């Protein structure tokens, strides 16, 4: 499908996008551009490289006209400095309107130069949330005329813990259209954007790679946090008859020791750590030693090891955490020339923040990883922030209760003051009384 009038791009933009090598619109552009031009809030979910950035750059260039006021009409929030520069580069590639001014805001020595650039005039601001908020609080970023707020790589922004500046900036804009682009959509992301999104359309680009890599049978368990992962792991490992030999991968040696101590309470000498550096922790030197050990049923391996790992013939490969590189995971679960006698199962635990890596893996292997149901016996731990908030609410509720035996008399209904009128409202009420 070539670029057509149905997408409502102006002729000059169609020419520039074609000359840039984009001969036809991708699925995300076909599904979202008309909605964007119609003024609707959207959430576009798709893998890296599916065309999300080009989509909103085209939407902005097609939308913006000559601006004489010198204040931003568009605010684009991205996770890091490199993302700011990449978005500006995409604008420069597709923009033929040389009068369009684009300013980037990101962490750099001195904030004055970026504030000066804004003072000189900007149509589009591309920024990291924390730097945009800092300059806004210094009154250097004018949001009064912003009518389009774009949040790109939203899942990475959540992972970096930048939800608060995003929400504050969004709430500081009086009224505008919101576009959110992300690789995944999960509860933490939904919690961030819910306060300001207005009946958004959700557009999902659910593609996988063409190359199908043969893997061991896989199952994915999505859990809310680290504590729940531990609870699920302990529940699985209780079945000694099923989990006869299990390798557990974690990202750091510190996490490996935490998992070890959690499992050791029940399994004692049945659990070991690869290349342990502590005399208090049962250790093994290789996976070959693990395979031949009559007592050790669980081997924990930190991803920081450079040792060659032989997983042949191990019944369960469990990723408690996903490695930073998808290739590492794929190498471990790729079936290769495995005989029919091998019955290895690859189990993965993932939180919301790890789902973007899951999507990358699925795209690379060309298949979806089946979801497993969380067993009923698993205790779901609360996130630390949610638990602290609930504790504060509970304490506040207790503090507000009357003390038994204290001098407390309930007011008559007519005397109870459970309202809080503004001064203007009081003036109106008094005026009515005088004329009644």
């Amino acid at each position: 499908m070539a670029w057509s009038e149905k997408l409502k791009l102006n002729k000059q933009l169609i020419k520039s996008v074609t000359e840039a090598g984009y001969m036809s619109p991708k699925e995300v552009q076909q599904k979202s551009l008309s909605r964007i031009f119609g003024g609707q809030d959207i959430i576009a979910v798709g893998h890296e490289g599916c065309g999300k950035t080009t989509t909103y750059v085209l939407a902005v260039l097609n939308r913006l006209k000559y601006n004489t006021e010198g204040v931003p009409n568009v605010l684009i929030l991205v996770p890091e400095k490199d993302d700011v520069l990449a978005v500006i580069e995409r604008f420069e590639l597709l923009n033929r309107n040389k009068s369009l001014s684009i300013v980037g805001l990101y962490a750099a020595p001195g904030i004055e130069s970026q504030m000066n650039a804004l003072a000189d005039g900007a149509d589009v601001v591309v920024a990291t949330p924390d730097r945009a908020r800092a300059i806004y609080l210094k009154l250097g970023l004018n949001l009064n005329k912003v009518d389009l707020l774009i949040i790109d790589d939203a899942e990475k922004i959540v992972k970096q813990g930048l939800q608060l500046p995003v929400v504050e900036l969004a709430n500081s804009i009086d009224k505008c259209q919101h576009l959110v682009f992300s690789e995944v959509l999960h509860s933490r992301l939904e919690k961030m954007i819910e306060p300001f999104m207005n009946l958004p359309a959700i557009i999902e680009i659910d593609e996988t790679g063409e190359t199908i890599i043969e893997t061991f049978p896989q199952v994915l368990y999505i859990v809310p946090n680290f504590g729940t992962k531990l609870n699920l792991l302990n529940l699985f490992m209780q079945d000694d008859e099923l989990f006869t030999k299990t390798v557990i991968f974690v990202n750091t040696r510190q996490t490996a020791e935490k998992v070890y101590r959690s499992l050791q309470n029940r399994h004692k000498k049945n659990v070991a750590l690869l290349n342990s550096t502590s005399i208090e922790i049962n250790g093994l030197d290789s996976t070959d030693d693990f395979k031949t050990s009559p007592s050790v049923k669980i081997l924990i391996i930190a991803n920081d090891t450079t040792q060659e790992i032989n997983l042949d013939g191990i019944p369960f490969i469990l990723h408690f955490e996903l490695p930073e590189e998808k290739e590492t995971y794929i190498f471990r679960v790729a079936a290769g020339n495995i005989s029919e006698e091998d019955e290895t199962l690859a189990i993965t635990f993932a939180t919301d923040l790890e789902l973007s890596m899951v999507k990358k893996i699925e795209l690379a292997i060309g298949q979806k990883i089946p979801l497993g149901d969380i067993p009923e016996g698993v205790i779901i731990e609360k996130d630390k922030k949610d638990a602290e908030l609930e504790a504060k609410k509970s304490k506040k509720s207790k503090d507000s209760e009357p003390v038994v035996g204290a001098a407390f008399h309930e007011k008559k209904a007519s005397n109870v003051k459970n309202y809080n009128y503004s001064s203007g409202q009081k003036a109106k009420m008094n005026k009515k009384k005088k004329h009644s």
Side-chain angles (χ1 to χ4, degrees):
M1 175 186 174
W3 297 97
S4 67
E5 294 181 359
K6 289 184 179 180
L7 294 178
K8 299 181 181 179
L9 292 180
N10 63 59
K11 292 181 179 179
Q12 184 179 4
L13 194 52
I14 290 176
K15 183 178 180 181
S16 64
V17 75
T18 303
E19 290 178 353
Y22 303 101
M23 304 310 296
S24 61
K26 293 189 175 183
E27 183 181 352
V28 65
Q29 288 138 23
Q30 295 177 38
K31 289 184 174 181
S32 60
L33 281 176
S34 60
R35 291 180 180 272
I36 296 172
F37 296 149
Q40 187 173 12
D41 282 11
I42 70 162
I43 302 170
V45 182
H47 60 83
E48 184 179 4
C50 74
K52 298 189 295 292
T53 302
T54 300
T55 299
Y56 68 75
V57 168
L58 290 174
V60 170
L61 293 175
N62 199 65
R63 178 190 190 119
L64 281 183
K65 308 300 180 185
Y66 181 65
N67 180 10
T68 58
E69 297 181 80
V71 295
N73 295 131
V74 179
L75 174 62
I76 302 171
L77 300 177
V78 294
E80 298 176 345
K81 173 185 176 180
D82 289 345
D83 302 310
V84 172
L85 299 177
V87 171
I88 293 175
E89 184 179 347
R90 190 68 55 88
F91 269 104
E92 291 173 348
L93 175 66
L94 300 175
N95 179 33
R96 289 175 175 270
N97 178 9
K98 300 307 178 184
S99 64
L100 187 67
S101 175
I102 303 171
V103 172
L105 308 178
Y106 46 82
I111 201 170
E112 292 78 12
S113 61
Q114 293 177 0
M115 293 181 68
N116 290 337
L118 288 171
D120 291 338
D123 302 299
V124 178
V125 172
V126 186
T128 57
D130 47 351
R131 179 50 67 103
R133 177 178 179 269
I135 294 181
Y136 172 73
L137 293 176
K138 289 179 175 288
L139 305 181
L141 176 59
N142 187 342
L143 300 178
N144 292 335
K145 298 294 182 179
V146 169
D147 56 17
L148 180 61
L149 172 62
I150 300 169
I151 304 169
D152 195 12
D153 287 329
E155 84 288 348
K156 293 180 183 177
I157 289 175
V158 172
K159 191 171 185 178
Q160 292 176 345
L162 295 173
Q163 299 97 311
L164 181 59
V166 170
V167 174
E168 287 185 353
L169 289 165
N171 289 337
S172 299
I173 300 170
D174 184 31
K175 185 180 180 181
C176 76
Q177 182 183 8
H178 307 90
L179 311 180
V180 175
F181 295 86
S182 181
E183 287 192 18
V184 293
L185 181 61
H186 51 62
S187 58
R188 297 189 194 198
L189 175 53
E190 290 173 341
K191 186 176 180 181
M192 178 183 76
I193 64 178
E194 189 273 334
F196 55 83
M197 296 295 283
N198 180 28
L199 300 175
I202 299 177
I203 298 166
E204 295 187 79
I205 310 303
D206 194 14
E207 296 177 349
T208 54
E210 294 181 2
T211 303
I212 296 179
I213 297 175
E214 186 180 356
T215 67
F216 295 124
Q218 297 184 74
V219 61
L220 170 68
Y221 293 92
I222 300 176
V223 294
N225 47 43
F226 182 90
T228 307
K229 280 187 179 183
L230 276 181
N231 295 340
L232 180 59
L233 179 64
N234 275 281
L235 182 65
F236 280 169
M237 295 302 104
Q238 285 178 21
D239 194 339
D240 299 331
E241 294 183 1
L242 176 62
F243 290 91
T244 54
K245 289 283 183 181
T246 305
V247 166
I248 300 172
F249 287 103
V250 297
N251 283 341
T252 65
R253 195 153 290 274
Q254 181 182 16
T255 303
E257 293 179 2
K258 284 183 181 179
V259 173
Y260 174 86
R261 291 190 173 91
S262 177
L263 292 171
Q264 194 196 30
N265 292 332
R266 175 182 174 87
H267 299 278
K268 308 301 180 185
K269 294 295 183 180
N270 290 340
V271 58
L273 188 63
L274 184 68
N275 298 326
S276 171
T277 57
S278 171
I279 59 173
E280 298 177 355
I281 295 177
N282 185 26
L284 291 177
D285 295 330
S286 69
T287 50
D288 290 331
D289 291 344
F290 172 58
K291 293 174 188 178
T292 57
S293 171
S295 59
V296 178
K297 294 186 175 183
I298 304 166
L299 179 64
I300 304 166
I301 302 176
N303 285 326
D304 58 7
T305 182
T306 57
Q307 182 177 338
E308 185 175 340
I309 305 297
N310 180 8
L311 299 173
D312 291 346
I314 295 176
F316 294 95
I317 300 170
L318 194 152
H319 283 87
F320 187 85
E321 295 177 312
L322 286 169
E324 292 183 1
E325 301 295 332
K326 63 180 183 295
E327 290 78 12
T328 303
Y329 175 93
I330 294 170
F331 177 79
R332 293 169 183 165
V333 303
N337 298 318
I338 302 300
S339 65
E340 294 182 1
E341 287 75 20
D342 288 316
E343 296 181 351
T344 299
L345 177 65
I347 300 172
T348 300
F349 295 172
T351 64
D352 286 348
L353 300 183
E354 293 171 296
L355 289 182
S356 58
M357 177 56 72
V358 172
K359 294 295 182 184
K360 287 182 173 67
I361 291 168
E362 291 177 335
L363 184 65
I365 64 178
Q367 55 183 301
K368 302 282 285 185
I369 301 176
L371 284 176
D373 295 325
I374 303 297
E376 291 183 2
V378 175
I379 298 173
I380 307 299
E381 300 287 350
K382 292 182 179 178
D383 286 326
K384 186 177 179 181
K385 288 184 178 179
D386 292 339
E388 290 175 352
L389 183 62
E390 190 169 304
K392 287 180 181 179
K393 287 182 178 178
S394 177
K395 184 178 184 301
K396 188 176 181 180
S397 177
K398 288 180 180 179
D399 291 345
S400 63
E401 291 177 1
V403 179
V404 176
F408 175 78
H409 302 282
E410 188 173 348
K411 294 182 180 180
K412 293 180 181 180
S414 59
N415 293 329
V416 174
K417 181 179 179 181
N418 54 10
Y419 50 81
N420 185 20
Y421 296 122
S422 67
S423 57
Q425 183 67 19
K426 287 179 181 178
K428 290 181 181 178
M429 293 171 69
N430 288 332
K431 189 174 182 181
K432 286 184 179 179
K433 285 182 181 180
K434 290 178 182 178
H435 292 86
S436 58

